[in-house]
Amino acid sequence: MGKEFTQWFLHPSDESKKMYHALMDNVITLIANQTKEMTQPFSGKTREEIESKVREILSIPVAAQEMDQVMNEIENSIVRNSLWISHPSAMAHLHCPPLLPSLAAEVIINALNQSMDSWDQSPAATYVETELIKFLTKQIGYSHDADGTFTTGGTQSNYMGVLLARNKACQMHFSAHVQKEGLPGEARKLRILCSEHAHFTVQKSAAQLGLGMDAVVKVAANDRHQFCVEDAKRKIRQLRKQGLLPFMVVATAGTTDFGSIDCLGDIAELANKEQLWLHVDAAYGGALLFSHQHGHLVRDLCLADSITIDFHKLYYQSISCGAFFVKHQQDFQQIAYHAEYLNPEEDLEEGIINLVEKSVQTTKRFDALKLLMTWKLIGTDLFGKMVDYTIHLAKETARLLKKESCFEVLNEPELNAVVFRFLPSHHRENQEYVDEINLAIQRTFYQSGELIMAKTKQGGKVYLKFTMLNPLNTIDNMKVQIEKIKQAGEKIEKEQGENRREYSVYC
Ligand SMILES: *Cc1c(COP(=O)(O)O)cnc(C)c1O
C-alpha cells in the first residue's frame, strides 16, 4: 500500500527522485518561459475573464490528473493572469521582483521544511537565523545587547513593537504584568504618537492589542512628508494635560507613499526626554543600511528601542521575509512563554536556543536562508549598488516629470517612490475633474496591462505613484512611459471635453 505514496515524498527510491526532478524541471521551465512571454506586466484581461479562467481549473479531482495537463492549466489560467512583478513596468506598490538566489533558497527551505520554533526542529537553521540577526544588529549599529527575530513582514513586526512597548509601559507606569493579568484599567490612558504618513498597521496593532485605534495620535508632517517634532511636542503637552499617557512614538524610515524618512535623531531625543518607547518602522527604508550613498539617512536607527525591517520589499526577497529588532534583548521577556513540549525552562539552562521565545508565531519558516544565500551569491556591495541605482532612477524620473508642465510632482524622492499627477491644460482648478482624469489614466494603463502604477490620495486629491523598486528598470523606459502617460492624459482630456460639449448641446 505504502508503495503508491512513495513517489509523492522525498525518498531514496528512484520513483521519488524521478518525480521530484519531473515536477521541479517542469515548474522551472514554466517560469523561465514566462520571462520571454511576459512582454508586459499584466495580461490586461478583465476581472470577469480572469475569474472565469481560474474557476475553470478549480474542480478538485478524486483521481490524479496527468502532470502535463496540470502544468498547462496552471500556466494558462494562473501564471499568465498573474501580475508579472519582475517586469520593470510593474511599479505600483512596495512589491519587489525577487532575486534568483532567493528563489533558489526557497527550494531548499521548502524541501527541508524546518520549523524555527524549537532547536530540535531546526538544528542548523536556528544558527542561521541567530547569526543573521546578529549580523543585521551590527549593521544597524546596535550593541551586543540587541536581538531580533524573523517575521512574516512589517505588519507582524509593527505589531510586536506595539506589544512589547505596551507591556513594558504597563509594568513601568501601573506595575501591571499584562502577559499574566491582562490589561489594567489605566491602560485606557495609553497613547501612541506617529506621523500622519505612518503605516496603517500602527493603528491596526493598537486595535488588536486592546488599546483601540483612538490610542494612536497623528502628528502632522512637514512639507517633506516627515514627522514634525514640534507638533509632537505640542500634542504630548496636550495629552498630558488631559491626564493621558503617551508611552510610545513610531517613526517611519521610508513612508509607504512617499518613501520619506523621518528625522530619527530628533525623534530619539524627544522619546528620551519624554520617556517614550521609540519604534522605527523601517519596513521600506531599512535597505539603506547597505546603501553606499544614502546610508546616513538611517544612521540613527540604532537609537530606536525596536525596529521593523522588511526583506520582501527593498531587499528583493520573495514573500514573506521580514524581521523585528530590539535594542535590549531583555525586552523579549515581555512575551516569553515556556511550553513544556517545546521550550522547557531546562533548555535555557543547557544553552539550547528555541526561537519561539522571541516570536508571536509557533511553526515558522526558515526565511533567513534566503538572505544568507542572496548575500553569499551577490555580496552586500552589489546589493547596496542596486538599491542606490533605483533611488537614482526615481530622482531622475521626478526630474523628467517636473520638466513637463502637464505634471505636478508632490515629493522629492528619498527612496524610490514618485508621487505625481497629470494636470489637464484646461480646468485645472476643477478638483473633481482633475481627479477623474488621473483615475482614468491609472485604470487605462492597468487595463492595457502595459504599465502598472498605483493611485493614492493626498490632501483629498488623487495622485499617481511610481514605486520604482526594479533595478532592471531604466531611464529610457521611464521616458517612454512618461510620454505615454502624457498622451493618455491628453486623449482623456479631449474625450471629456467632447462629452462636455455634447452635454451642453443637448441640455
Ligand atoms: C509594507 C509596510 C508595512 C507592512 O508590511 P507587510 O510586510 O506588508 O506586512 C509596514 N510599514 C511600512 C512603512 C510599509 O511600507
Side-chain angles (χ1 to χ4, degrees), residues 227 229 233 262-272 278 300 303:
F227 183 103
V229 176
K233 284 182 186 164
D262 292 341
C263 292
L264 304 180
D266 296 345
I267 302 174
E269 203 181 305
L270 175 76
N272 196 26
L278 171 59
D300 291 329
L303 301 174

Side-chain angles (χ1 to χ4, degrees), residues 46-96:
T46 64
R47 272 188 311 202
E48 293 76 16
E49 283 174 307
I50 292 175
E51 184 175 356
S52 76
K53 197 90 183 114
V54 173
R55 278 178 189 277
E56 263 172 33
I57 65 149
L58 290 185
S59 62
I60 311 291
V62 176
Q65 289 179 352
E66 285 299 319
M67 190 185 300
D68 284 349
Q69 188 199 340
V70 174
M71 292 295 162
N72 277 333
E73 285 179 359
I74 303 256
E75 175 169 6
N76 291 326
S77 296
I78 302 175
V79 178
R80 291 216 175 125
N81 290 312
S82 291
L83 181 68
W84 185 250
I85 197 61
S86 293
H87 195 287
S89 295
M91 43 183 139
H93 301 283
L94 281 168
H95 183 180
C96 69

